[in-house]
Amino acid sequence: MTTGPSHAVGIDLGTSNSALAVAFPGEARSSRPVEITQVLGPGRIGEKRTFASALYLPVTGQFPPDSLRPPWADREPAFVAGDFARETGAQAPDRLVTSAKSWLSYRSVDPTQPILPWGSDLKERKISPLEASRLYLEHLKEACRADAARNGLPATLEDARFVLTVPASFDEVARKLTAQAARDAGLGNDVVLLEEPQAAFYAWLDSVGPAWREQVKPGDLVLVCDVGGGTTDFSLIAVAERSGNLELERISVGRHILLGGDNMDLALAYNLRGRLEEEGKELDEWQFMALVQACRLAKEALFDKRDLAETPISIPSRGSSLFAGTLSTALPRSLLESVIVEGFFAFTRPEVRPQERPSAGLRELGLPYEADAVLSKHLAAFLARSLRNVKASPALTALVSGNGRADRLSADLLRPDAVLFNGGVFRPKRLRDRVLELVASWDKTRPVRELTGSDPDLAVARGAAAYGLTKITGKGPRIRAGASRSYYIGLDPAVPAIPGYQPPVKALCVVPQGMEEGSEQVLEDREFGLWTGTRVTFRFFSSPSRAGDSVGTVIQNAERDLEETSGLEMDVPAIEGLGDSTIVPVKLHARLSELGTLELWMQRKDAPDRWELNFDVRTG
Amino acid sequence: MVRNDTKPLRTAAGIALFLALILSAVTAWALIGSRGAGDAGMRIQTVLAEALALALLLCVLWLFLLVRGLADGRSAAEPKPTAAPAPAIQPAAPPKPIHTASEPGSEALMLLSLLQEKGRFVDFVMDDIAAYTNEQVGAAARVVHQGCREVIIEAFAPLPVAPIENARMTLEPGYDAGEFRLVGRVSASPPFTVKVTHKGWRARHVKLPRSIKADKIPENPIIVPAEVAA
């Protein structure tokens, strides 16, 4: 009946900024960015290349009636979204929702509860991170429609294959929540999830075309280094040769690092504010925001023009007298070098790890921002963990140590041969060069090169669209990826209770790392007995660095060796003819869907009954 | 929209028909009253014929509008075909116009408010420049430059018309007089050998923000509202 999708839409739902791209079959450079229609101010609408993932909750009557209504909305929405929301909300943080995405992957707070704006005194009208994500996606969907109308495209959203990107660090719960937000936003049930660093890699493949095969060679390891406004995401992709063809395989993903370009601009602004205060000049909150913005531009100007010693900065006062109230300062190159280059991208030894936040004492709930701002250490930690992950799996060990690279296994970390940069932070060549020098310093025997050719702001959206197109046409290079983590269910320890002694929780591997999309696994050698007519709960764990585990592997101390993901729960109805509270034998099945989400269910032995296991994100 | 527009039209047609009928009655009465006066009779007959023709025409128009109005009403009342089995994604809402027709001047006003909001342009121009030093004016100019530049690049993405200033070039016959403004002592006809004194600017695109509502511009419109902090 249906002919399948006619084109692909890539959605980069970013922590701070979102972007859109479309790809149609038969076009040479296949993906095209979509300008996003959004409210630019009261009574004003227009298009921008990106869309701030921010929501502002106006007070009733704060703006003229209907002046914040996007053209597709029937009535004025409770929240205004986009760049204007972020600008307005910066002056009223208790009415501003940002970083909703990071909350989806944070397990101390239930992301389906209305908790945002975080820390706000607003009693009602708060919103959940899930709902905020839905609102962004709904806006992006309508912006897509508006773009098609503006450009006279016959394409409709009904014919589109949507690819939505998620951080590589997202665990299964965060992915499920993202997919749910997409469904709730009306994007349909078959939205494909794609890891952001992979999307950046697809954008590179798309921009280079068939020549990509000349830019990498078998045995290469490519680091995708994605530093966005508020988050950092790493992935490693291995290049291998199988029966004469080059193949790509994503072998390791990083954790969710809450550190990015915004931290850099803030660090500069704090420094300059200190200098102004020494001169007896006080900045109000609004002026400080202007200073942060000015620091970002000054930073880019200094990186761009190597011969400038400093960039003057002017901060206007809030009143209308520009000449009397403007404060002057300058961003000197020495400060830029010491704060950004030597601060965030210091030359650190490969064995140095990021400082952890002291665990003693009470800590306020909230997003776990990094305690250590030195990105070099986070990168080293990722590459060292990647090496552990590879060593845990014979298949990955063979892949990585092949092509005469057995030396890799004896190093401190898995050093890449090439780096693909993504995110606005890496627009200046100085910072890209710095990271290349840093990586080179960790193994001086081999060179490191940069893979160039993609736009750092729009690459993820474009890559997502390009990937969607390969799904439609079946043509084009693909990265073998599969599950980025292995997953485990907790088993109650079967030992007699001993007062004062908490026996370690064992866990059983149910999904191995790298499990392919579209495949199914059964935990064959373990049978569970389920009480009918009850709710069953399990503890659920994951690990990004245990590539060697296979289905059925038992972990003796789950709390020590694994990360707890969330609870799993399942309602088992009473079965007719068996009566209440009977034990039925079941086996655990796991399937990784083509769309990139995990399904877990219990299959009754010798009967068609099956019960889904659902993630339980409630906390406390 | 269409039906809303035709309703007053139908009413007008009905009124015209009514007037035409009265007119024909009056002229017929006048005709009867002046029977025997040859020339005048002829003239009045012509008027009557014209009035009847007009009445007929209006009648036809009115009937047409009436029938169309009924047909519209019927189509609106007709049951919609039932929805197809739940598609993967909700069907598109009828496309709503994205570009709203705007009042003359409203785009200029919007650009001015943008230049003020992002680049303090109105503050800069309206401040008393004579009272301040060049250093103060210079510091303020940076603010204006940074913000207005952003607005202008976003809206127009300017690029030069002629690549290099002070270079010599030749304008061949048929050159675009819109692209090059010829000044100084000009010979009778092209080709002209000229020096580029200003490279000129062209817009790569024109992308102005649009008004959400197509309201009339009020008297003394707001450029930017006064800001009051709570």
Side-chain angles (χ1 to χ4, degrees):
Chain A
M1 194 181 86
T2 47
T3 52
S6 66
H7 66 291
V9 176
I11 305 177
D12 169 13
L13 179 64
T15 314
S16 8
N17 285 298
S18 297
L20 273 176
V22 288
F24 287 87
E27 289 173 18
R29 196 175 179 224
S30 55
S31 66
R32 163 179 84 79
V34 169
E35 299 221 303
I36 301 168
T37 304
Q38 55 193 293
V39 172
L40 300 175
R44 203 156 66 213
I45 194 143
E47 282 75 37
K48 286 192 147 196
R49 276 157 49 102
T50 57
F51 169 81
S53 311
L55 294 170
Y56 176 72
L57 172 62
V59 187
T60 315
Q62 188 177 0
F63 298 101
D66 257 1
S67 64
L68 300 178
R69 186 170 63 85
W72 51 76
D74 293 329
R75 57 197 164 80
E76 196 145 48
F79 283 89
V80 56
D83 289 32
F84 170 68
R86 181 162 60 197
E87 282 163 30
T88 312
Q91 295 173 56
D94 57 331
R95 297 189 160 267
L96 176 70
V97 174
T98 51
S99 300
K101 185 164 121 175
S102 290
W103 288 97
L104 292 184
S105 68
Y106 180 49
R107 290 288 151 264
S108 299
V109 180
D110 180 353
T112 64
Q113 290 301 308
I115 53 164
L116 300 179
W118 182 250
S120 158
D121 290 332
L122 290 179
K123 288 283 174 289
E124 59 233 68
R125 294 174 75 191
K126 279 200 187 181
I127 192 169
S128 71
L130 179 68
E131 173 72 357
S133 305
R134 177 186 75 80
L135 288 173
Y136 299 142
L137 288 170
E138 211 167 57
H139 189 113
L140 294 171
K141 178 185 81 171
E142 293 301 338
C144 236
R145 226 197 276 285
D147 174 75
R150 214 168 40 242
N151 291 303
L153 297 178
T156 62
L157 295 186
E158 287 69 25
D159 300 332
R161 161 62 95 187
F162 288 99
V163 178
L164 177 56
T165 61
V166 290
S169 56
F170 260 24
D171 66 13
E172 200 42 45
V173 180
R175 294 171 72 103
K176 272 259 162 72
L177 288 166
T178 308
Q180 187 186 333
R183 261 195 315 278
D184 295 350
L187 294 177
N189 293 325
D190 43 10
V191 173
V192 179
L193 299 182
L194 177 67
E195 290 165 16
E196 281 155 19
Q198 282 192 56
F201 201 88
Y202 279 112
W204 176 76
L205 288 172
D206 189 40
S207 68
V208 180
W212 73 270
R213 289 183 180 82
E214 280 113 60
Q215 298 210 22
V216 289
K217 58 181 189 305
D220 273 355
L221 278 182
V222 180
L223 165 71
V224 184
C225 185
D226 181 1
V227 182
T231 54
T232 292
D233 212 359
F234 300 122
S235 285
L236 270 181
I237 292 173
V239 185
E241 192 168 7
R242 275 196 193 88
S243 49
N245 286 326
L246 279 190
E247 284 195 350
L248 301 164
E249 183 170 347
R250 191 266 288 112
I251 59 167
S252 173
V253 301
R255 58 180 197 88
H256 203 62
I257 301 172
L258 284 172
L259 181 65
D262 297 346
N263 302 63
M264 300 178 195
D265 302 335
L266 272 173
L268 290 175
Y270 279 124
N271 256 285
L272 289 187
R273 182 167 74 176
R275 291 181 180 204
L276 283 165
E277 280 169 354
E278 275 169 29
E279 296 166 24
K281 297 171 187 163
E282 292 288 326
L283 294 184
D284 63 26
E285 216 173 292
W286 183 88
Q287 282 177 310
F288 182 68
M289 276 159 37
L291 178 63
V292 175
Q293 170 81 349
C295 280
R296 186 175 59 78
L297 295 171
K299 175 188 82 183
E300 284 171 10
L302 276 184
F303 276 136
D304 195 35
K305 297 190 175 58
R306 304 296 300 266
D307 51 341
L308 285 183
E310 61 170 37
T311 309
I313 285 179
S314 293
I315 305 300
S317 74
R318 214 158 172 187
S320 72
S321 180
L322 214 48
F323 300 139
T326 299
L327 299 177
S328 280
T329 182
L331 176 65
R333 183 171 292 280
S334 56
L335 186 71
L336 182 79
E337 287 286 323
S338 66
V339 172
I340 305 296
V341 184
E342 301 305 331
F344 287 87
F345 297 97
F347 282 121
T348 55
R349 304 265 322 137
E351 67 276 7
V352 179
R353 295 287 164 269
Q355 225 169 45
E356 305 238 341
R357 210 173 278 281
S359 57
L362 283 173
R363 192 155 89 78
E364 207 183 350
L365 269 181
L367 287 181
Y369 295 105
E370 297 307 321
D372 198 324
V374 185
L375 272 168
S376 318
K377 298 184 201 168
H378 290 282
L379 180 56
F382 163 68
L383 295 174
R385 209 191 63 193
S386 300
L387 182 61
R388 276 206 307 282
N389 189 46
V390 161
K391 282 181 175 172
S393 151
L396 286 184
T397 303
L399 176 68
V400 163
S401 62
N403 296 290
R405 300 301 310 270
D407 58 304
R408 279 191 169 133
L409 301 173
S410 54
D412 293 316
L413 43 73
L414 204 50
R415 211 214 61 174
D417 305 287
V419 184
L420 176 69
F421 292 99
N422 193 48
V425 165
F426 290 116
R427 238 176 278 131
K429 188 172 184 303
R430 172 90 176 95
L431 292 184
R432 299 200 302 271
D433 287 346
R434 180 55 175 237
V435 172
L436 292 173
E437 287 161 26
L438 173 73
V439 170
S441 77
W442 290 337
D443 174 5
K444 294 196 180 70
T445 60
R446 285 166 198 272
V448 181
R449 61 189 193 280
E450 184 191 346
L451 300 184
T452 53
S454 57
D455 178 338
D457 287 325
L458 301 174
V460 168
R462 298 188 55 159
Y467 171 74
L469 198 60
T470 68
K471 281 232 159 198
I472 295 173
T473 60
K475 288 182 208 140
R478 293 278 284 273
I479 304 168
R480 276 161 51 96
S484 61
R485 309 168 152 252
S486 42
Y487 289 93
Y488 308 80
I489 60 168
L491 298 175
D492 280 330
V495 291
I498 303 163
Y501 170 71
Q502 187 78 35
V505 176
K506 282 189 192 176
L508 204 56
C509 180
V510 291
V511 174
Q513 195 188 108
M515 176 171 160
E516 284 185 35
E517 283 161 12
S519 72
E520 192 178 317
Q521 296 267 12
V522 191
L523 190 52
E524 282 295 353
D525 50 2
R526 181 80 56 149
E527 207 171 78
F528 296 87
L530 282 187
W531 289 100
T532 57
T534 55
R535 163 166 292 189
V536 184
T537 57
F538 293 97
R539 288 174 76 177
F540 198 51
F541 299 88
S542 74
S543 171
S545 55
R546 298 185 60 93
D549 292 352
S550 54
V551 171
T553 302
V554 177
I555 309 298
Q556 293 300 334
N557 190 343
E559 283 166 327
R560 187 191 63 202
D561 298 337
L562 305 172
E563 298 163 22
E564 185 143 18
T565 294
S566 80
L568 277 176
E569 60 178 25
M570 170 176 61
D571 282 314
V572 187
I575 298 173
E576 222 173 300
L578 283 181
D580 255 359
S581 302
T582 321
I583 290 183
V584 292
V586 292
K587 278 198 171 161
L588 180 65
H589 288 240
R591 196 179 112 80
L592 193 62
S593 76
E594 297 283 358
L595 309 172
T597 48
L598 184 64
E599 293 155 20
L600 291 168
W601 72 92
M602 293 288 192
Q603 179 76 50
R604 190 176 161 200
K605 207 178 164 191
D606 307 324
D609 303 305
R610 59 180 266 178
W611 300 284
E612 303 284 333
L613 284 153
N614 297 308
F615 294 112
D616 172 20
V617 291
R618 285 168 301 185
T619 47
Chain B
M1 283 299 267
V2 171
R3 275 194 293 137
N4 284 349
D5 288 348
T6 55
K7 196 175 174 189
L9 204 61
R10 278 210 305 278
T11 316
I15 291 169
L17 179 71
F18 181 66
L19 287 176
L21 285 172
I22 289 179
L23 182 69
S24 21
V26 167
T27 40
W29 176 78
L31 183 70
I32 291 160
S34 65
R35 195 199 299 264
D39 281 1
M42 273 301 288
R43 203 170 63 240
I44 287 167
Q45 255 183 339
T46 317
V47 170
L48 181 67
E50 276 174 4
L52 283 174
L54 180 69
L56 198 69
L57 189 73
L58 287 171
C59 206
V60 168
L61 182 67
W62 185 61
L63 274 172
F64 169 72
L65 290 172
L66 190 74
V67 167
R68 211 175 72 160
L70 282 175
D72 280 3
R74 198 169 46 244
S75 76
E78 253 167 19
K80 296 261 180 321
T82 45
I89 135 173
Q90 294 141 19
K96 286 171 194 162
I98 300 295
H99 292 268
T100 46
S102 54
E103 172 97 346
S106 79
E107 282 190 338
L109 196 61
M110 204 161 281
L111 184 62
L112 186 61
S113 23
L114 254 188
L115 289 171
Q116 164 62 22
E117 268 174 34
K118 304 274 179 201
R120 309 290 290 269
F121 181 71
V122 181
D123 289 346
F124 185 80
V125 176
M126 299 308 291
D127 209 350
D128 175 17
I129 200 165
Y132 298 98
T133 64
N134 274 358
E135 198 178 323
Q136 285 171 303
V137 174
R142 252 178 217 290
V143 173
V144 180
H145 181 268
Q146 179 189 312
C148 292
R149 181 184 160 84
E150 189 189 313
V151 172
I152 295 298
I153 289 181
E154 181 100 25
F156 304 107
L159 74 167
V161 180
I164 308 159
E165 284 183 7
N166 294 322
R168 297 221 152 253
M169 64 179 289
T170 309
L171 296 179
E172 300 294 346
Y175 79 95
D176 187 346
E179 288 186 358
F180 297 93
R181 180 173 304 156
L182 209 46
V183 292
R185 288 171 53 198
V186 180
S187 57
S189 65
F192 302 120
T193 304
V194 294
K195 192 176 100 172
V196 179
T197 48
H198 187 286
K199 61 185 173 184
W201 294 104
R202 70 164 82 236
R204 200 171 290 145
H205 57 236
V206 179
K207 217 174 77 183
L208 289 170
R210 303 177 298 278
S211 176
I212 286 181
K213 293 181 287 180
D215 286 348
K216 285 217 174 309
I217 298 179
E219 215 169 301
N220 306 328
I222 298 291
I223 299 169
V224 278
E227 215 172 84
V228 287

